[in-house]
Amino acid sequence: GAVVSQHPSRVICKSGTSVKIECRSLDFQATTMFWYRQFPKKSLMLMATSNEGSKATYEQGVEKDKFLINHASLTLSTLTVTSAHPEDSSFYICSARDGGMNTGELFFGEGSRLTVL
Amino acid sequence: AQKITQTQPGMFVQEKEAVTLDCTYDTSDPSYGLFWYKQPSSGEMIFLIYQGSYDQQNATEGRYSLNFQKARKSANLVISASQLGDSAMYFCAAGGSSNTGKLIFGQGTTLQVKP
């Protein structure tokens, strides 16, 4: 089946630094990818929709300048947490769609756990 | 706007028994999809089952079945013959036809299977 891969799976950084997380579709092309954030034992909250070749669409309350999204190719979307602070520590997970919605073919990456010291 | 409600924060089930995880949804989209995902402690989201709003029959995938009651706006997940490996957090999610892949998730239910 289709595979979505995230890298890194875990990252620890100092406050004030920027961290980049990659989301790749390994065996299919994804014009659209989605970035979610999840706090421990909580639900996944959609942050933004990443669109290949155009600007990302952010959900209400998500800071565009804080969470930079770049979808430069059909297989790669990146999320950069800029000037990270401890409150940005979270589990970030991406998803990508292979095929039509009516097939239910939506796949998630393994997630990236960010810890900001 | 869509909203997903999972009212069971935690559930226990005896190994080999069946368990139902509740999910209700609220959406104004005429066409939508309902999903269930399993999230073990490792964090990965594992797709379990999908139900389209216009599907006439309830979806089934192996030991998983979705009890879809459109009039009641419920999409409960039934896991038959529970296994120890089923212990995980389970999320119900919904997506509209216009947002192919954009999902709204419920709060999740933690399932523990007892030996």
Side-chain angles (χ1 to χ4, degrees), chain A residues 8-46:
Chain A
S9 58
R10 291 180 180 271
V11 58
I12 301 173
C13 70
K14 293 182 178 180
S15 185
T17 61
S18 294
V19 174
K20 180 186 286 187
I21 300 170
E22 295 184 345
C23 178
R24 293 182 184 273
S25 56
L26 297 185
D27 54 0
F28 66 99
Q29 293 183 333
T31 56
T32 306
M33 293 184 177
F34 303 88
W35 286 97
Y36 294 84
R37 180 176 183 177
Q38 185 182 27
F39 291 104
K41 305 292 185 183
K42 299 295 184 183
S43 183
L44 279 73
M45 300 300 296
L46 180 66

Side-chain angles (χ1 to χ4, degrees), chain B residues 6 8 11-22 36-39 46 48-49 59-67 75-91 109-113:
Chain B
Q6 294 178 253
Q8 306 155 314
M11 288 281 286
F12 289 91
V13 65
Q14 204 67 36
E15 192 179 8
K16 300 181 183 177
E17 292 186 350
V19 63
T20 298
L21 306 183
D22 295 340
W36 275 94
Y37 286 88
K38 172 184 178 181
Q39 187 180 42
I46 301 170
L48 296 179
I49 197 166
T60 60
E61 291 284 350
R63 294 187 299 112
Y64 305 108
S65 60
L66 199 152
N67 184 3
N76 298 340
L77 175 71
V78 180
I79 305 175
S80 62
S82 297
Q83 301 172 357
L84 296 178
D86 293 335
S87 295
M89 197 153 186
Y90 288 80
F91 289 98
T109 296
T110 300
L111 176 67
Q112 292 191 35
V113 180

Side-chain angles (χ1 to χ4, degrees), chain A residues 36 38 43 46 59 97 106, chain B residues 39 50 100 102-103 105-106:
Chain A
Y36 294 84
Q38 185 182 27
S43 183
L46 180 66
E59 295 300 303
R97 181 176 59 85
L106 180 65
Chain B
Q39 187 180 42
Y50 168 83
T100 52
K102 177 179 173 180
L103 298 182
F105 284 82

Side-chain angles (χ1 to χ4, degrees), chain A residues 61-106:
Chain A
V62 178
E63 298 177 60
K64 301 178 181 180
D65 296 331
K66 176 70 165 177
F67 300 100
L68 299 179
I69 292 173
N70 185 16
H71 195 152
S73 78
L74 287 171
T75 59
L76 174 64
S77 174
T78 60
L79 168 68
T80 300
V81 183
T82 62
S83 187
H85 288 92
E87 57 266 29
D88 299 325
S89 298
S90 192
F91 189 64
Y92 294 89
I93 191 165
C94 70
S95 69
R97 181 176 59 85
D98 180 19
M101 179 68 170
N102 57 358
T103 67
E105 295 290 351
L106 180 65

Side-chain angles (χ1 to χ4, degrees), chain B residues 22-59:
Chain B
D22 295 340
C23 173
T24 58
Y25 61 92
D26 188 12
T27 179
S28 56
D29 288 326
S31 176
Y32 50 90
L34 298 161
F35 300 75
W36 275 94
Y37 286 88
K38 172 184 178 181
Q39 187 180 42
S41 56
S42 59
E44 61 185 308
M45 293 291 284
I46 301 170
F47 168 75
L48 296 179
I49 197 166
Y50 168 83
Q51 177 88 42
S53 59
Y54 287 107
D55 292 343
Q56 295 295 319
Q57 293 186 330
N58 287 346

